[in-house]
């Protein structure tokens, strides 16, 4: 078995048209470096994994980690990075936006200056954002300020998804990574305790040739989640905070609806309160299903069944809320305190119960899993792209 100096981890989601070209370019640029490539694909509908597997049949230094039922750029990178024993690990996008020709310089720097990390930067002399849209440039700057990363290290482009790390350094901090969202580099830097030796190499960010960017609203929210997790994650679950946030939004909407139904629609109080409760319950379910539990999102019939269990759990929580706060009030607790006690109880109850019912992770018995595996491998090779195993829900957030 050869030992590699460099492993290039490439996360992919629908990059079928880009990946082969990138691999070719790497071969051309890195001719005198011993390297391997690990592509981490999240079961791209366009068949990226199958395409790379076909190539790897003739290239022993090309590997695929084909993940099913998982999503997330950061967690994909981490998994790829943990799968190698090479001395240095590079992470780069598949879409040719990262300039592969600076890789040899990055490797030279990390080795000769004994650094932990070398980052491809668009913000130092000789680098640029290319034709990145202005809102993305602004977003990138905002993210940088928000993270407080400037305090941690000399890093001009912490949003960069293009960098090389020393494997031993990465493994030291790997257990502390959150693995949430898009910002793997930031995750690494914020997770490193003590001094971290960083170098930067400029490059020009290129335009995407094929396919689309996956950066969207959810990714923005995930970014906030990552920052939140870094600051409060060891004390309280970020998922719980998000659940409460959704609850708080629901409460505001509830009050608006209640007022509207009473004043404008001239419903009775009971009718208004009942309608508002029903609507907000559904809204909360949809929001939690889309954001708080997006990694275990329920779709199709599971969506409707989930709405049912969510409603039942939260109704019980509501009843308990009223009973507990009522009792506390009777015992002489001031009303705001009694009200908050009831609310807190139902928040914890609703979160706990829906985590175990509505968004419980699907588990299969070992026998069922073995049977599925046998079925999958029994299919002929050429059918690779058509195998659609049902999705085992695995938690991407740790
Ligand atoms: N496995 C996996 N899973 N790969 C993913 C996922 C995912 O959920 N989401 C995106 N990718 C892959 C894409 O296929 C691509 O190879 C790479 O990750 C980057 O995704 P893009 O969708 O091209 O990101 P971008 O161009 O908008 O963002 C770039 O600029 C940011 C800086 O502002 C990336 O370089 C980011 O890493 C960088 O932070
Ligand atoms: Mn891109």
């Amino acid at each position: 078995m050869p030992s590699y100096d460099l492993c290039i981890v490439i996360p992919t989601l629908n990059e079928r048209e880009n990946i082969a070209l990138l691999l070719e370019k790497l071969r051309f640029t890195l001719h005198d470096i011993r390297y391997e490539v690990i592509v981490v694909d999240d079961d791209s509908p366009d068949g990226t994994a199958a395409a790379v597997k076909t190539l790897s049949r003739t290239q022993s230094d090309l590997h695929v980690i084909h993940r099913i039922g998982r999503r997330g750029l950061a967690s994909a990178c981490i998994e790829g990075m943990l799968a190698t024993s090479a001395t240095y690990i590079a992470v780069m996008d598949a879409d040719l936006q990262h300039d592969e020709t600076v890789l040899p310089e990055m490797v030279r720097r990390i080795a000769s200056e004994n650094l932990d990390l070398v980052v491809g930067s668009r913000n130092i002399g000789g680098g640029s954002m290319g034709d990145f849209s202005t809102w993305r440039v602004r977003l990138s700057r905002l993210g940088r300020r928000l993270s407080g990363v400037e305090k941690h290290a000399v890093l001009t482009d912490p949003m960069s998804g293009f960098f090389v790390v020393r494997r031993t350094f990465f493994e030291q901090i790997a257990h502390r990574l959150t693995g949430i969202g898009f910002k793997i580099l930031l995750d690494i830097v914020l997770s490193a305790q003590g001094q971290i030796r960083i170098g930067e190499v400029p490059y020009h960010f290129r335009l995407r040739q094929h396919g689309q960017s996956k950066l969207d609203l959810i990714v923005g929210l995930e970014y906030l989640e990552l920052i939140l997790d870094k600051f409060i994650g060891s004390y309280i679950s970020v998922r719980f905070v998000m659940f409460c946030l959704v609850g708080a939004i629901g409460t505001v909407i509830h009050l608006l609806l209640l007022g509207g139904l009473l004043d404008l629609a001239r419903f009775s109080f009971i009718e208004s309160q009942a309608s508002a409760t029903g609507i907000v319950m559904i809204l909360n379910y949809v929001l939690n299903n889309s954001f708080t539990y997006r990694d275990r999102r329920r779709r199709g019939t599971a969506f409707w069944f989930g709405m049912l269990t969510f409603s039942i759990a939260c109704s019980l929580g509501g009843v308990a809320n009223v009973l507990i706060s009522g009792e506390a009030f009777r015992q002489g607790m001031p009303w705001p305190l009694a009200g908050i006690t009831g609310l807190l109880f139902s928040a914890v109850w609703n979160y706990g119960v829906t985590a175990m019912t509505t968004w419980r992770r699907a588990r299969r018995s070992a026998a069922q899993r073995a049977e599925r595996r046998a079925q999958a491998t029994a299919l002929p090779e050429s059918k690779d792209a058509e195998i659609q195993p049902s999705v085992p829900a695995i938690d991407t957030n740790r």
Side-chain angles (χ1 to χ4, degrees):
M1 278 299 276
S3 70
Y4 296 106
D5 297 324
L6 178 67
C7 169
I8 302 166
V9 172
I10 308 175
T12 58
L13 195 60
N14 291 334
E15 303 287 1
R16 194 191 174 103
E17 303 202 57
N18 292 315
I19 189 76
L21 189 56
L22 174 62
L23 294 173
E24 216 172 278
K25 283 174 179 269
L26 287 173
R27 193 160 300 281
F28 182 75
T29 311
L30 301 176
H31 48 84
D32 52 3
I33 294 181
R34 277 177 307 173
Y35 74 98
E36 64 176 342
V37 172
I38 298 181
V39 172
V40 189
D41 183 70
D42 285 352
D43 207 24
S44 302
D46 78 346
T48 306
V52 179
K53 283 176 198 174
T54 305
L55 291 172
S56 76
R57 287 172 71 88
T58 53
Q59 298 172 33
S60 59
D61 50 7
L62 175 60
H63 318 277
V64 191
I65 297 178
H66 182 165
R67 308 198 303 172
I68 294 178
R70 322 269 312 261
R71 263 296 160 82
L73 177 54
S75 73
C77 294
I78 293 169
E79 247 172 85
M81 295 169 84
L82 288 173
T84 183
S85 61
T87 316
Y88 306 110
I89 309 171
V91 172
M92 74 187 298
D93 293 354
D95 56 7
L96 307 167
Q97 291 194 278
H98 293 158
D99 182 358
E100 74 290 338
T101 60
V102 301
L103 271 172
E105 171 64 5
M106 291 166 90
V107 172
R108 194 194 61 73
R109 290 276 307 273
I110 198 168
S112 68
E113 295 173 33
N114 196 25
L115 302 171
D116 300 312
L117 174 70
V118 171
V119 182
S121 172
R122 299 164 291 192
N123 298 331
I124 47 173
S128 79
M129 288 279 198
D131 291 322
F132 223 26
S133 58
T134 38
W135 77 270
R136 283 292 304 268
V137 173
R138 268 195 218 126
L139 199 70
S140 193
R141 286 204 193 117
L142 174 74
R144 187 170 159 214
R145 227 173 303 139
L146 219 75
S147 68
V149 74
E150 280 137 330
K151 279 178 271 155
H152 288 262
V154 208
L155 201 55
T156 59
D157 194 2
M159 302 300 129
S160 176
F162 187 27
F163 57 90
V164 178
V165 277
R166 184 179 296 276
R167 178 175 55 83
T168 49
F169 162 78
F170 174 74
E171 283 168 356
Q172 264 169 30
I173 58 140
H175 290 269
R176 290 197 291 273
L177 297 172
T178 68
I180 301 172
F182 230 57
K183 299 304 170 200
I184 172 70
L185 175 62
L186 199 61
D187 201 355
I188 291 177
V189 173
L190 293 179
S191 299
Q193 288 165 348
Q195 209 50 43
I196 153 173
R197 291 159 296 176
I198 303 182
E200 292 191 315
V201 171
Y203 79 99
H204 294 283
F205 197 58
R206 297 192 290 225
L207 266 189
R208 182 180 257 279
Q209 307 271 326
H210 302 281
Q212 297 167 352
S213 163
K214 283 92 203 170
L215 198 128
D216 58 10
L217 178 68
I218 302 250
V219 167
L221 286 173
E222 280 175 339
Y223 180 69
L224 291 179
E225 201 182 328
L226 166 72
I227 304 283
L228 209 64
D229 189 88
K230 277 284 161 249
F231 292 112
I232 61 163
S234 38
Y235 309 106
I236 187 168
S237 139
V238 171
R239 224 197 266 275
F240 180 62
V241 173
M242 286 179 71
F243 192 84
C244 290
L245 216 65
V246 168
I249 293 171
T251 308
V252 173
I253 294 178
H254 184 116
L255 291 176
L256 291 175
L257 271 176
L258 185 60
L261 290 171
L262 280 172
D263 286 354
L264 305 175
R266 304 239 164 256
F267 277 25
S268 72
F269 179 79
I270 294 290
E271 285 165 348
S272 310
Q273 174 74 352
S275 319
T277 306
I279 294 172
V280 168
M281 194 114 84
I282 292 172
L283 180 78
N284 279 5
Y285 170 68
V286 172
L287 286 178
N288 280 314
N289 195 50
S290 312
F291 299 108
T292 319
Y293 284 102
R294 66 187 172 279
D295 54 317
R296 300 184 203 168
R297 191 178 296 171
R298 301 178 68 101
R299 300 168 203 267
T301 35
F303 174 86
W304 299 107
F305 194 67
M307 188 182 287
L308 187 72
T309 54
F310 181 85
S311 305
I312 294 172
C314 294
S315 301
L316 291 176
V319 171
N321 170 357
V322 172
L323 292 179
I324 287 175
S325 54
E327 185 55 31
F329 184 66
R330 250 194 309 283
Q331 302 284 335
M333 194 183 263
W335 68 263
L337 216 60
I340 290 174
T341 308
L343 267 183
L344 261 180
F345 178 85
S346 60
V348 173
W349 162 279
N350 291 350
Y351 177 72
V353 174
T354 58
M356 286 184 295
T357 54
T358 316
W359 289 287
R360 187 170 49 113
R361 276 182 248 178
R363 289 197 198 288
R364 281 203 191 90
S365 71
Q368 280 171 319
R369 284 199 301 269
E371 192 183 327
R372 287 194 162 269
R373 260 200 306 274
Q375 279 172 359
T377 44
L379 289 169
E381 176 86 337
S382 59
K383 286 266 172 65
D384 255 2
E386 289 156 38
I387 300 173
Q388 296 277 336
S390 80
V391 174
I394 302 167
D395 196 344
T396 31
N397 295 343
R398 268 180 287 196

